[in-house]
Amino acid sequence: MRHYLLSSVAFLASFTANADVQLKDDSDIRGKWNLYAEAAKLDGEKKNVDIVWDFADNGVLNTIATDSLGRTNEMRIEVKYMVEDGVLKKEVSPGRGKFETCKAVEKTADSMVLKCSFNYFFLKK
C-alpha cells in the first residue's frame, strides 16, 4: 500500500511539474516583451540579456538586441512567428523557413517563461 501511495504521489508531481500553458492564439503574446534572461534549465543559472521581442500582429517577430560591450550597440532581426496548437513557433533564422517550437511554461499578463529548443527564455512586458 505504501509503495502504491508513493508512486501515485510521484506520478502526480511529475505531471504538474510538466504542465505547460496553452496559448490560445497570437493575441496572448502580441506586443513588446523584454527578454531579460535565458538559461539551459528552468531552475538553472540565468544569463542576463537585453533583448526586446516585439510580436507584431502581422506574424513578424521584431528582435532588438542591445550589446553595450560589442562593436554594434544594437542588432535588429525580423523572423516569422505563429501560434499553433497552443505553442509558439518562431523562425530560427530570417527567411530560412525553419521553425522551432517554444512552449509557455509560465504566463501571466506581464511575464512569461518560454521553453524553446535549447533554452528557457524569461520575459516581462
Side-chain angles (χ1 to χ4, degrees):
M1 178 70 172
R2 183 175 179 198
H3 182 273
Y4 174 75
L5 180 63
L6 287 175
S7 63
S8 296
V9 170
F11 173 75
L12 289 174
S14 68
F15 180 74
T16 56
N18 294 324
D20 296 322
V21 177
Q22 294 289 308
L23 302 172
K24 66 178 177 172
D25 57 32
D26 67 340
S27 67
D28 280 348
I29 59 172
R30 202 173 303 136
K32 287 188 180 184
W33 292 84
N34 294 314
L35 172 55
Y36 64 91
E38 58 185 33
K41 296 189 297 185
L42 183 60
D43 59 352
E45 182 179 343
K46 294 178 184 169
K47 176 184 173 191
N48 293 331
V49 293
D50 188 6
I51 302 172
V52 173
W53 281 4
D54 187 1
F55 294 95
D57 60 0
N58 61 357
V60 174
L61 169 56
N62 298 294
T63 304
I64 305 164
T66 303
D67 182 9
S68 60
L69 302 175
R71 287 187 280 162
T72 59
N73 289 338
E74 189 175 270
M75 181 172 58
R76 295 175 177 263
I77 299 173
E78 290 183 357
V79 294
K80 295 177 185 174
Y81 82 93
M82 64 197 77
V83 174
E84 289 182 347
D85 301 322
V87 298
L88 167 66
K89 295 180 181 179
K90 67 179 192 67
E91 226 174 359
V92 176
S93 313
R96 300 283 174 132
K98 183 177 178 182
F99 288 79
E100 73 175 329
T101 300
C102 301
K103 295 180 180 180
V105 177
E106 299 172 12
K107 174 136 181 9
T108 65
D110 60 351
S111 69
M112 177 168 55
V113 178
L114 294 174
K115 168 61 173 119
C116 296
S117 299
F118 301 105
N119 285 320
Y120 286 87
F121 295 108
F122 300 84
L123 303 106
K124 288 184 185 177
K125 274 275 187 169

